[in-house]
Amino acid sequence: MTAFVAWFFWLSGRTVDARPEDSLEGEIADQTGDYGHFAPYSWWPLWLGLSISVAVLGVAVGWWLVVVAAPFLVLSLLGWTFEYFRGERAV
């Protein structure tokens, strides 16, 4: 398995062009550009984590607690998924 992973990295390294961070004389400014969109803050992961915790606790304590946590779990998952779909971008 180790040989397979080593072969994969060797093959991938040959087919991918050199990036700015591969140069030993490279500067930090060589890799400027857009890194993507990152949310500054969000409350949805907190509610998702709490509802998952209650659901897992329900598996240990009693299945009725899973039934109570399920709507909150679905609501928080959908809220986090569609957090930025508002206004013209609404689904």
Side-chain angles (χ1 to χ4, degrees):
M1 191 64 180
T2 305
F4 175 72
V5 171
W7 171 80
F8 174 75
F9 284 141
W10 174 77
L11 186 66
S12 296
R14 289 186 46 171
T15 58
V16 175
D17 294 332
R19 295 172 293 178
E21 62 263 20
D22 293 333
S23 174
L24 294 176
E25 289 83 25
E27 297 290 328
I28 293 175
D30 293 342
Q31 194 177 354
T32 58
D34 188 22
Y35 289 109
H37 173 72
F38 299 98
Y41 60 88
S42 177
W43 285 97
W44 290 110
L46 173 69
W47 301 121
L48 184 62
L50 287 174
S51 39
I52 287 175
S53 299
V54 172
V56 169
L57 181 68
V59 171
V61 174
W63 287 101
W64 62 271
L65 200 53
V66 175
V67 174
V68 170
F72 294 105
L73 184 68
V74 170
L75 180 69
S76 59
L77 184 63
L78 288 174
W80 195 23
T81 302
F82 296 110
E83 183 174 15
Y84 291 104
F85 288 88
R86 294 190 176 143
E88 294 180 8
R89 295 178 288 166
V91 176

